[in-house]
């Protein structure tokens, strides 16, 4: 019985650590860019876009599609980096296993 209580305490501690790590992800900013930095996107660790910065040289009224592509590329770059950060930060709890819905 004592062994079971100890195991439950360890599980509870691990859950608390995971919740704290998930909260901390929300405070971390990850940056993605495209076009050599003419478009920059910042997302937090929860993959919410925080800012989009477009330098004037990226804006060509005759080529809106290029700007759209740059924004899309920068957003995807930032989201990929956010996934990598989440996997790194949360992977220590899951042993590298991908658990759907966890992060």
């Amino acid at each position: 019985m004592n062994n079971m209580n100890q195991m439950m305490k360890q599980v509870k501690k691990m859950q608390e650590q995971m919740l704290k790590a998930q909260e901390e992800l929300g405070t971390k900013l990850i940056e993605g860019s495209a076009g050599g930095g003419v478009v920059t996107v910042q997302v937090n660790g929860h993959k919410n876009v925080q800012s989009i910065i477009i330098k004037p040289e990226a804006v060509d009224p005759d080529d809106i599609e290029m700007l759209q592509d740059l924004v899309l590329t920068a957003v995807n770059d930032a989201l990929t980096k956010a996934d990598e950060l989440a996997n790194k930060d949360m992977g220590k709890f899951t042993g590298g296993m991908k658990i759907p819905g966890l992060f």
Side-chain angles (χ1 to χ4, degrees):
M1 191 66 161
N2 189 26
N3 197 19
M4 182 64 120
N5 286 336
Q6 186 176 357
M7 186 174 80
M8 293 304 290
K9 285 180 184 179
Q10 287 176 331
V11 168
K12 182 176 168 97
K13 182 178 178 183
M14 185 176 175
Q15 286 175 327
E16 290 169 356
Q17 290 173 335
M18 288 175 64
L19 286 173
K20 183 178 179 189
Q22 285 179 327
E23 287 176 19
E24 288 174 358
L25 277 174
T27 65
K28 295 181 180 180
L29 287 180
I30 301 97
E31 192 170 279
S33 65
V38 295
V39 175
T40 303
V41 174
Q42 286 187 334
V43 299
N44 65 19
H46 293 159
K47 298 192 278 184
N48 295 317
V49 175
Q50 301 297 302
S51 71
I52 298 175
I53 301 164
I54 301 171
K55 292 186 178 176
E57 59 264 28
V59 181
D60 179 355
D62 296 326
D63 194 1
I64 298 298
E65 288 180 7
M66 174 61 77
L67 179 56
Q68 292 169 337
D69 289 343
L70 289 171
V71 171
L72 184 62
T73 299
V75 168
N76 286 331
D77 184 40
L79 293 176
T80 297
K81 290 176 181 177
D83 279 339
E84 291 169 357
L85 177 66
N87 287 335
K88 182 179 147 248
D89 284 2
M90 301 302 291
K92 58 188 165 199
F93 300 108
T94 63
M97 293 184 314
K98 306 263 191 236
I99 301 174
L102 184 58
F103 52 89

